[in-house]
Amino acid sequence: MPTRRLLIRRGAFAAATTLGLSFIKSQPAEAAATISKQAAAYQDHPHHGDECAACCMFVPGASTRCTMIEGVISEHGWCKYWQSGPADTCS
Ligand code: SF4
C-alpha cells in the first residue's frame, strides 16, 4: 500500500509533467520569427541571384517560412538578412 508521502510525490510529478507538456504544445512553429517583412526589406523575388531557398534561415514546407521573418515567404524571395547555407541550419 503506497504511503501518503509517495502519493504526494506521484501527484506532484504528474502535475509537473502535464504542465510541461502543455507548455511545449503551445509553442507555435513560427515563434522565433520576430522581424516584419518591411523591416527586413523583404521582396518576393531574388536579389543578385540570392534567394530564400538558399538561405540558412529558410524553413521549407507547405506554408513556406523562415526562422527570422514573420509570415509566409516565397522560396524565391530575399531580404537583407540573407545568409548562405542549407535550409534551417543557422545558429
Ligand atoms: S533571405 Fe533568409 S532571412 Fe530573409 S526572408 Fe528569406 S529565408 Fe528569411
Side-chain angles (χ1 to χ4, degrees):
M1 179 170 205
T3 64
R4 183 173 170 218
R5 181 175 292 175
L6 180 58
L7 290 174
I8 291 171
R9 283 185 186 166
R10 285 181 181 169
F13 177 76
T17 302
T18 301
L19 286 172
L21 289 176
S22 64
F23 175 76
I24 291 170
K25 286 180 186 175
S26 68
Q27 298 301 305
E30 67 273 17
T34 56
I35 299 176
S36 72
K37 289 179 179 175
Q38 183 178 14
Y42 173 81
Q43 60 189 43
D44 62 1
H45 53 276
H47 176 78
H48 300 297
D50 296 334
E51 61 184 11
C52 293
C55 175
C56 64
M57 288 173 263
F58 182 69
V59 180
S63 66
T64 310
R65 297 188 181 276
C66 89
T67 59
M68 179 174 283
I69 307 305
E70 295 174 336
V72 175
I73 60 168
S74 166
E75 62 186 315
H76 302 296
W78 175 91
C79 83
K80 67 181 182 181
Y81 298 109
W82 184 89
Q83 191 174 332
S84 178
D88 202 17
T89 59
C90 289
S91 54

